[in-house]
Amino acid sequence: MAERMAESETTPSSITASLPSNDGPKFIDPIDKYSALIVRGTIVGAGMIGIGLFLKNSRLFARFETVSQIPKDIIRKELELKGRVREILPSGELRIEHEPIIKLPTIFRQKSINQKGLLNVRLAGLDISKAGQQYISKDLRLTNKPVTFTVIKPAEDLPNTIDADVTVKKNFVTRTNLNVDLVRRGYARVPAPDHIKHLKALQSVPAYSRLVSKLLMSEKVADRRGVGVWERDTWVESVQSAPSQFVGYVRAAAITKFAFLMYNVTKDVVLYGVKVAQGTWYMFLTICSYLALGYRKFGQGVDRATSTYNRIKNKATEK
């Protein structure tokens, strides 16, 4: 016991201070204190980055600004896209701002500057008249209205344009297909079968073929109603135009065309013959004038030879 007390007395005070005490507070390493916070922050940051990449690349949140950004699966499956009409061109082409399926909060959305990122949408399967172009740009008032559109195919003649089947949402209940509505009102018609691009699209794009079949049915309705490009004259106008139509029929008849042909041929032959006769007559007169001049010179030569001969003869007689 005395030896232990002696050892404790001989132990340096610095070593005693470094030894842990059972009665005092525990010593905590600062690295162990913040390691859990660092790990949690790393996990949360990686999760936020993953969520950001998902929001950027997912089709649910994607916003298409160019035609090249639209996946081919959407075109092939004929999925509907939503958007708002921001501008209407004089040709009837719509410039639509595409809206994603699920909208992100405003802080996550990038604001477009000077209307960048608008899709040029052309009504598929239609040959729009000038009255139809005015109807779209002025009467419908589509600017800033929500629409849904199905991409039928990219436009072949315009690089950043798509041909689409567009549906306008007028209110909470009513929706109007713009392609069909224009045909039913007589403002547009399906291109002719001899149109090369139209025929090629009918053979290669099933969605375009189905849309054209629907539009042809609408054409029959417009034709029966006689509106727009299928508008027919009234009976009064038909009676008034009967004389001019009769004259047109007579002029278009084959016998009339043959008579005009013979008249023109005969006139040309006579005029050509007159010109040939005039040329021949002028040539004859020219030849006669040259012959007369030559004959006069020949007569003058004969006279000079005769006078010379007589003069020589007289001299010989005198000698």
Side-chain angles (χ1 to χ4, degrees):
M1 187 69 180
E3 292 177 356
R4 290 181 180 178
M5 292 178 63
E7 289 178 359
S8 62
E9 290 177 357
T10 58
T11 303
S13 60
S14 60
I15 297 175
T16 305
S18 63
L19 293 176
S21 176
N22 294 330
D23 298 335
K26 293 183 178 180
F27 178 77
I28 299 176
D29 191 354
I31 297 177
D32 295 336
K33 180 179 180 181
Y34 295 104
S35 60
L37 182 61
I38 294 173
V39 172
R40 291 175 183 174
T42 304
I43 294 173
V44 172
M48 294 296 293
I49 293 174
I51 292 173
L53 293 175
F54 173 76
L55 295 179
K56 182 178 180 180
N57 299 323
S58 176
R59 294 180 183 177
L60 297 176
F61 307 96
R63 180 177 178 271
F64 305 133
E65 297 183 354
T66 59
V67 175
S68 59
Q69 293 178 350
I70 302 177
K72 294 183 179 180
D73 292 342
I74 291 181
I75 301 177
R76 181 173 54 84
K77 295 179 181 179
E78 303 177 29
L79 300 179
E80 280 192 349
L81 301 176
K82 297 188 298 182
R84 286 186 178 272
V85 179
R86 297 303 185 188
E87 186 181 354
I88 303 174
L89 301 181
S91 60
E93 186 176 320
L94 307 178
R95 302 200 69 202
I96 298 177
E97 179 184 359
H98 173 248
E99 295 179 352
I101 300 175
I102 300 177
K103 294 183 180 180
L104 294 174
T106 309
I107 58 174
F108 295 104
R109 283 184 281 176
Q110 297 179 353
K111 296 183 179 180
S112 59
I113 302 174
N114 297 328
Q115 292 186 345
K116 290 184 179 179
L118 299 181
L119 297 175
N120 297 326
V121 179
R122 189 172 60 181
L123 299 178
L126 295 183
D127 185 7
I128 305 175
S129 63
K130 292 184 178 180
Q133 295 173 1
Q134 294 179 357
Y135 174 73
I136 295 174
S137 58
K138 296 180 180 180
D139 298 340
L140 283 181
R141 299 178 181 177
L142 293 176
T143 306
N144 296 326
K145 282 191 175 181
V147 295
T148 58
F149 58 98
T150 303
V151 181
I152 302 298
K153 62 182 181 65
E156 297 180 358
D157 49 349
L158 299 174
N160 196 28
T161 305
I162 54 176
D163 292 334
D165 186 12
V166 181
T167 301
V168 181
K169 185 177 181 181
K170 292 187 175 181
N171 49 48
F172 293 101
V173 180
T174 308
R175 299 178 66 187
T176 303
N177 187 284
L178 191 56
N179 302 57
V180 175
D181 184 60
L182 286 177
V183 176
R184 286 179 177 268
R185 292 178 181 270
Y187 290 135
R189 65 191 312 166
V190 178
D194 56 352
H195 196 279
I196 298 177
K197 295 180 180 179
H198 170 68
L199 184 60
K200 182 179 178 182
L202 283 176
Q203 296 173 350
S204 59
V205 183
Y208 185 78
S209 178
R210 289 191 293 269
L211 176 62
V212 168
S213 299
K214 183 170 62 175
L215 295 177
L216 288 175
M217 296 297 294
S218 301
E219 272 192 0
K220 293 181 180 180
V221 175
D223 189 15
R224 287 197 299 266
R225 294 169 58 190
V227 294
V229 294
W230 290 276
E231 186 176 1
R232 291 180 287 271
D233 296 335
T234 61
W235 67 272
V236 177
E237 295 173 343
S238 301
V239 171
Q240 290 177 350
S241 62
S244 60
Q245 291 179 355
F246 177 75
V247 174
Y249 292 149
V250 172
R251 289 181 178 178
I255 187 66
T256 306
K257 293 181 180 179
F258 178 74
F260 276 109
L261 176 63
M262 294 303 298
Y263 170 75
N264 292 328
V265 170
T266 305
K267 182 179 69 174
D268 293 338
V269 169
V270 170
L271 293 176
Y272 183 74
V274 170
K275 290 182 179 180
V276 171
Q278 289 177 351
T280 305
W281 175 250
Y282 292 147
M283 185 180 295
F284 176 74
L285 292 178
T286 303
I287 293 173
C288 289
S289 63
Y290 280 116
L291 290 176
L293 180 61
Y295 184 76
R296 285 196 297 269
K297 289 183 178 181
F298 176 73
Q300 292 174 359
V302 171
D303 293 339
R304 285 196 298 270
T306 302
S307 61
T308 302
Y309 175 75
N310 291 330
R311 189 170 57 254
I312 294 172
K313 183 179 179 180
N314 291 331
K315 289 181 179 181
T317 304
E318 291 176 356
K319 291 180 179 180

